[in-house]
Amino acid sequence: MNPQRILEETFGYAEFRGAQREVIDAMVHGQDALVVMPTGGGKSLCYQIPGLALAGTAIVVSPLIALMADQVAALRQLGVRAAFLNSTLDVFEQRAIANDLRSGYLDLLYVAPERLLMAETLELIDGVEIALVAVDEAHCVSAWGHDFRRDYLELARVREHTGAAPWIALTATADERTREDIVANLRLRDARRFVAGFDRHNIHYQVALKAQPMQQLFNFLESRRGEAGIVYCLSRRSVEDTAQKLADAGYDALPYHAGLDAGTRARNQERFLRADGVIVVATVAFGMGIDKPDVRFVVHLDLPKSIEAYYQETGRAGRDGAAAQAYMVYGLQDVVRLSQMVSESDADEDHKRVEQQKLTALLGWCEITSCRRAGLLSYFGDALEGACSGCDVCDAPPVTFDGTEAAQKFLSCVVRTGQRFGAGHIIDVLRGADRPKIHQLGHDALPTYGIGSDISDLRWRSIARQLVAQGYLIADPNRYGALRLTQMCRPLLRGDSALLLREDPAGAAAKRSAKRRTREPAVELDAESAAIFERLRELRKAIADEQNVPPYVIFHDATLREMALLRPQSHAEFLGLGGVGQSKLERFGDRFLEALGES
Ligand code: ADP
Ligand code: ZN
C-alpha cells in the first residue's frame, strides 16, 4: 500500500508533517537515513509507515523498555500487527512472539538493544525477512552525548543479520558531532540526513518573577483544571509542600522525588500516565522516559540548572502537538542557590566553570527583552522561521528604560561596601534604611547611603537581577550570594556606555499569566463543547480501563476536542476526525457516536 493511504486509513491523518514524506520515501527506496526532529515532531511515523509499506518485519530498537508495552498497545488499536521483545516478558510470551516473527505475521517488532544483541535473537532474525531497522533514541550511541549506552555501540554488528534492509536512526537531540557519531557508529550507508529545527511551535513560553510562588501557581492553574501537567521544584521538601497544597485546593496532585520509596514512585507515575488530568509535583528525578503525549503544561517553581535542562523539561509538554504551556517563576535567590550547589559539588574546576556559565546564560534568557522563543532557538544555534507562535515577550513586549544612572549607583554601592554583601543589604544602604546592621558596619556614613531612596525596593531588586543577568555582577556562591563586579562594569561606571533595562510588569504575580495565550491549535472550547469534551473523556477513560491501557492509546486529546466541536453523526464524519483511521472507527466509533447523540 502506498504511504499516503496508510497515513489516512491506518493512522487517520490527512497530511504528512515536515520531512515525514521525504524520510518515508527514502526508506521505501532502501536508503539509510538519520532523522533529527524535536519531540512531538512525528518521528514514529517515519519508520512505522515504511514498516507497513515494505514487505517483511520492521525492527525498532528502543532503550525505553517501560514504554514498549504502551507503544505496542497503541499500534494494535490501529490494527497494526506489532509486538515487543524485552526482559519483562516470560518465556512463553517470548516463544509466542518468536513464532509470530518466524511466520512473517508481524509488521513491527520493538526490541530492547541488549535483547537484540543476544545470540538467540540474532539467530531468530536470520530466518526472517526484515523490512527495515529503526534505531530510536540514537544519540545513545555517542559517547559525546549525555545518555551513552554501551550496547548501542554494538548495534552495528546487527547489520550483518539484516541484509539489504535500510537502517534509520532517530533522535530529538543531536548536535553536529553527535550526528556524525551516530552515522559512523551505526555504520549507516550514504545516510540521508533530515534535521528539523528545535522549535516546539505548540509550546507557549512564559517566565515571571517569583513573588508568591504558590499564589502564582494557583493563578496559572485556575483555568487549567482537569489538565495533566508537571510542576518542577528544586527540593524534596518543596515538592511535598506544593503537592499537599494543591491537593488541599482540590487538584489531583501527586509528589514524585527520589526520596519516596520505589513503590510510591511507581504508583504515582502510573497514575499520572493512566488517569486523566493528574498533576505531578516533582524534582528533576521525574521525567526520564515519560512519554505521555497529553501533558498540557510544565511549570518551574525553581530555576532549572541550564537552558538545556529547561528545554528538555519543558519539552515533556505537548508531545501530541496540541497547545501546551511552559511557565516558570524565578528570582535572584534561585540563582544564588544554584550557584552554591555548583560550587559545593565535587566536580573539577573546569566543569564548575561551565556549569556556572550555563546558569548565567539561563538567567540572561529569563531577562530577555526580545522574543523568548527566538532566544531559546538561538542558544541551540537554530533560527526561528516565520513568526513566533507564542511567548510572553511577543504577547506583551516589555517596556524598557535607561537604567544607566541607577546601575552606576548600585555598582558604586557594591564597591563601597567591599563587594561582600548580597543584593538585600546593598539595597538597604541605597535606600537609607535604618537597620542595626547598617549602623554597626558604619554603612550609614558611606556616600552612597540613601542616594537611592527615590527608587522602590522592588525596583532595585529588579535592577540588581538584571545586572547579574547581563553579566555586570556575579553573585558569589561561596559567599552567600555576595555581589562582585566584573570587567564589564568599567565603561558603564565611566559613563562611556548606557544600559537599557526592562520594566517589570506591575505586580509580579500578574494575573494575566493565568490566561491562555497560545495562538496554536487548541481552539477554545465553548461551554457546551467543553461539557461534551468532559463526557467524551469519561467514556475514553472507561474504555481505557476496560483494556488496561492509558487513555491516549484510545484517542488523543486533540481528537476528543475535535469530536466535541464538530460532533460527527455518521461513520463517514467520524472517520474525518484527525487521528481516526479504519480500525479506530470500527473499534470505538459507535460508542462515541452514541455518547455524542445523547448530548
Ligand atoms: P516524536 O517521536 O517525534 O516525539 P511522535 O511520533 O510521537 O513524535 O508524534 C507526536 C504526535 O504527533 C503523535 O501524537 C502523532 O500521532 C502526531 N502526528 C505525527 N505525525 C502526524 C501527522 N502527519 N499528522 C497529524 N498528527 C501527527
Ligand atoms: Zn516570541
Side-chain angles (χ1 to χ4, degrees), residues 366-578:
C366 287
E367 295 285 345
I368 201 167
T369 51
S370 53
C371 174
R372 203 174 285 289
R373 177 182 307 278
L376 193 57
L377 293 178
S378 96
Y379 181 81
F380 294 111
D382 195 7
L384 178 62
E385 279 173 39
C388 171
S389 52
C391 78
D392 51 354
V393 180
C394 290
D395 291 344
V399 178
T400 53
F401 65 96
D402 182 352
T404 315
E405 194 189 319
Q408 286 167 341
K409 286 181 182 171
F410 194 95
L411 295 173
S412 343
C413 191
V414 172
V415 174
R416 297 279 181 179
T417 51
Q419 313 199 56
R420 292 188 294 127
F421 299 92
H425 182 73
I426 304 292
I427 293 169
D428 279 348
V429 174
L430 283 166
R431 290 186 35 82
D434 183 20
R435 295 246 163 102
K437 183 177 174 189
I438 292 191
H439 302 304
Q440 279 157 21
L441 290 162
H443 287 171
D444 49 354
L446 294 173
T448 47
Y449 182 70
I451 58 168
S453 55
D454 54 330
I455 295 178
S456 75
D457 186 74
L458 211 59
R459 194 174 172 89
W460 273 125
R461 283 183 187 278
S462 159
I463 292 167
R465 225 184 34 250
Q466 295 188 61
L467 286 170
V468 175
Q470 296 197 25
Y472 291 95
L473 286 172
I474 291 171
D476 189 342
N478 297 322
R479 300 168 69 190
Y480 306 100
L483 296 172
R484 247 188 312 118
L485 273 64
T486 67
Q487 295 293 334
M488 277 176 69
C489 293
R490 289 232 188 106
L492 187 62
L493 286 170
R494 276 201 308 263
D496 293 348
S497 68
L499 180 68
L500 217 53
L501 295 177
R502 74 181 274 171
E503 198 85 64
D504 286 328
K511 259 246 149 114
R512 112 185 115 86
S513 67
K515 278 228 195 80
R516 289 162 182 282
R517 294 182 144 264
T518 312
R519 288 164 228 150
E520 266 304 307
V523 197
E524 201 77 50
L525 292 177
D526 56 87
E528 195 189 347
S529 308
I532 297 176
F533 177 73
E534 275 318 309
R535 258 205 315 283
L536 296 175
R537 217 152 76 132
E538 277 162 29
L539 174 57
R540 175 178 69 174
K541 176 75 177 124
I543 297 176
D545 286 347
E546 280 164 26
Q547 312 203 356
N548 194 26
V549 292
Y552 62 79
V553 164
I554 308 298
F555 283 124
H556 283 170
D557 281 0
T559 305
L560 287 198
R561 293 177 74 86
E562 227 183 293
M563 216 182 280
L565 275 171
L566 302 178
R567 298 167 213 166
Q569 294 184 348
S570 64
H571 282 183
E573 285 174 12
F574 199 78
L575 202 51
L577 299 171

Side-chain angles (χ1 to χ4, degrees), residues 18-98:
Q20 279 175 340
R21 175 82 230 204
E22 283 179 275
V23 179
I24 291 167
D25 281 347
M27 288 283 98
V28 170
H29 289 105
Q31 269 184 296
D32 284 3
L34 167 67
V35 174
V36 184
M37 263 187 206
T39 306
K43 286 186 285 299
S44 328
L45 288 190
C46 293
Y47 55 81
Q48 287 168 347
I49 289 185
L52 293 174
L54 292 167
T57 305
I59 295 191
V60 185
V61 185
S62 165
L64 306 175
I65 292 181
L67 301 178
M68 280 184 190
D70 287 345
Q71 281 170 334
V72 165
L75 284 165
R76 288 191 179 157
Q77 299 287 352
L78 298 171
V80 174
R81 295 182 291 196
F84 66 90
L85 263 185
N86 64 31
S87 52
T88 65
L89 298 179
D90 64 35
V91 193
F92 298 102
E93 290 168 318
Q94 287 179 32
R95 210 170 288 158
I97 287 163

